[in-house]
Amino acid sequence: MKMYLDTSTDQCMLKLDDNVYTWLAMHDLAEQIFTFIHDKLEENNADWQDISEIVFFAGPGSFTGLRIGAAVVNTLADQLKIPLYNHRGEQCQVIIPDYGRPANVTAPKK
């Protein structure tokens, strides 16, 4: 089963083969993303081991959403020992998010 994940906006999108699911994740993405994926796998009578490859929309988009999504797909691909691709079709060892601009990191005050 092919899995596609896009966490670049508040509207998380998951594809499992030809089935498309969306979820307005907002501030619950980090806490609920694995539950969301697992529930959709179960709806398809599948489990984690049935995922054969992962495609991830690496950005640009939400800094936090992309970081969370990249951590999820990097972990799944590593633990399941399956191929990982970015949305351009390039196979990756690890997904590096593309935020579309430099990260706006506040300098330390001291």
Side-chain angles (χ1 to χ4, degrees), residues 10-13 21-26 28-30 32-33 36:
D10 288 341
Q11 186 79 26
C12 177
M13 182 173 59
Y21 306 96
T22 58
W23 164 47
L24 187 57
M26 304 285 290
D28 295 327
L29 183 63
Q32 297 295 322
I33 185 72
F36 174 66

Side-chain angles (χ1 to χ4, degrees), residues 2-8 11-16 21 23 29 33-34 36-37 48 53-59 65-66 68-74 76 84-87 95:
K2 284 177 118 177
M3 180 179 127
Y4 173 88
L5 185 65
D6 180 350
T7 58
S8 64
Q11 186 79 26
C12 177
M13 182 173 59
L14 172 69
K15 291 182 186 177
L16 297 172
Y21 306 96
W23 164 47
L29 183 63
I33 185 72
F34 281 107
F36 174 66
I37 296 169
W48 299 106
E53 70 179 57
I54 299 173
V55 178
F56 180 66
F57 181 78
L66 290 171
I68 292 167
V72 167
V73 298
N74 287 332
L76 286 174
L84 176 62
Y85 299 90
N86 64 25
H87 60 283
I95 291 284

Side-chain angles (χ1 to χ4, degrees), residues 21-53:
Y21 306 96
T22 58
W23 164 47
L24 187 57
M26 304 285 290
H27 301 291
D28 295 327
L29 183 63
E31 186 176 328
Q32 297 295 322
I33 185 72
F34 281 107
T35 301
F36 174 66
I37 296 169
H38 185 259
D39 289 349
K40 299 311 173 191
L41 284 166
E42 282 187 338
E43 284 181 26
N44 287 274
N45 298 313
D47 202 354
W48 299 106
Q49 291 75 22
D50 295 313
I51 302 171
S52 58
E53 70 179 57

